[in-house]
């Protein structure tokens, strides 16, 4: 029977300046120390995931299947602008996993491709994947066998880790918060280029201010 142990590190750092967090040696040391032993490391193809891997001194191979959700025409736009120009589209996107009003990828499609990747993983004693929060949410949908509608209610904190273990055909999941403090206020005169939306059900904050 195939056994897989996969640890996924959330590449989301802060809505402000991720490089400021990654430049903090205390944060980097704490996150690195919290990673379990691994035999192989992968990362999403984004520059952000590459920077995090570099900061942690992790030699990670880019993996296309770990790419972020495709936000289509909304990529890089503040949520407040989307809410003002396409409120019905935004509402549909947040409530219907099949919806893709931005012309990109639906939540349901993300969950499908993530599930396919997880299902195809070979047996491995330790695999590390540095990827985006959306991919980790999709992985939880698969591992917990919950509907894709639960996607937005699954909270994945910045720099947290999700450990998925497949044994005897069943997944178990353990989400561990970041071991380091991440609340860094902007410096004087600096604005945070990110709109934040709070979902009433899960109190989850979302940001579509680009994927650096």
């Amino acid at each position: 029977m195939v056994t897989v142990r996969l640890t996924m590190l959330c590449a989301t750092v802060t809505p402000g300046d991720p490089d400021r967090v990654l430049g903090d040696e205390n944060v980097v040391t704490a996150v690195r120390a919290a990673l379990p032993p691994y035999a192989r490391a992968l990362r999403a193809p984004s520059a952000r995931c590459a920077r995090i891997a570099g900061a942690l001194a992790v030699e990670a191979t880019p993996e296309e299947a770990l790419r972020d959700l495709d936000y289509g025409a909304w990529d890089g736009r503040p949520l407040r602008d989307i809410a003002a120009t396409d409120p019905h589209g935004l509402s549909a996107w947040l409530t219907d996993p099949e919806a893709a009003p931005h012309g990109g990828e639906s939540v349901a499609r993300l969950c499908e491709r993530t599930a396919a990747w997880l299902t195809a993983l070979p047996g491995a004693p330790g695999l590390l994947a540095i990827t985006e929060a959306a991919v980790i949410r999709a992985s939880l949908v698969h591992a917990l066998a919950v509907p894709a509608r639960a996607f937005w209610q699954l909270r994945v904190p910045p720099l947290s880790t999700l450990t998925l273990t497949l044994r005897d055909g069943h997944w178990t999941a353990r989400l561990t918060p970041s071991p380091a403090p991440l609340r860094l206020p902007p410096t004087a005169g600096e604005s945070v280029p990110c709109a934040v939306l709070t979902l009433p059900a899960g109190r989850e904050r979302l940001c579509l201010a680009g994927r650096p």
Side-chain angles (χ1 to χ4, degrees):
M1 185 67 67
V2 173
T3 298
V4 174
R5 192 189 78 235
L6 167 67
T7 298
M8 308 181 84
L9 174 65
C10 180
T12 303
V13 177
T14 169
D17 182 3
D19 288 327
R20 180 148 31 117
V21 173
L22 296 179
D24 186 328
E25 188 58 33
N26 291 330
V27 173
V28 171
T29 299
V31 173
R32 186 189 297 131
L35 294 177
Y38 59 90
R40 184 184 176 207
L42 303 173
R43 65 169 176 82
S46 69
R48 175 166 57 202
C49 289
R51 288 204 304 273
I52 290 179
L56 298 176
V58 172
E59 294 186 10
T61 303
E63 171 56 63
E64 181 65 18
L66 294 173
R67 69 187 183 279
D68 199 4
L69 177 70
D70 179 0
Y71 298 105
W74 291 356
D75 190 19
R77 292 182 57 192
L79 277 172
R80 62 176 176 271
D81 291 350
I82 298 171
T85 59
D86 190 7
H88 297 296
L90 181 59
S91 177
W93 184 58
L94 294 175
T95 56
D96 179 5
E98 299 287 348
H102 42 55
E105 187 175 28
S106 69
V107 165
R109 176 61 191 130
L110 170 65
C111 290
E112 289 169 0
R113 69 169 166 89
T114 302
W117 179 74
L118 288 170
T119 301
L121 282 177
L127 181 64
L128 173 66
I130 300 173
T131 187
E132 316 289 349
V135 176
I136 298 178
R137 284 193 184 99
S139 298
L140 276 169
V141 166
H142 177 69
L144 300 178
V146 297
R149 288 183 179 277
F151 180 87
W152 294 118
Q153 277 67 54
L154 298 171
R155 184 171 180 81
V156 180
L159 290 182
S160 61
T161 56
L162 171 68
T163 299
L164 297 176
T165 304
L166 176 65
R167 186 177 292 111
D168 297 330
H170 299 284
W171 288 98
T172 58
R174 185 179 76 252
L175 184 67
T176 304
S178 169
L182 297 175
R183 295 186 179 277
L184 298 179
T187 57
E190 177 189 14
S191 61
V192 177
C194 172
V196 173
L197 175 69
T198 301
L199 300 184
R203 309 303 296 174
E204 177 64 76
R205 298 189 303 169
L206 306 175
C207 173
L208 296 187
R211 303 193 305 281

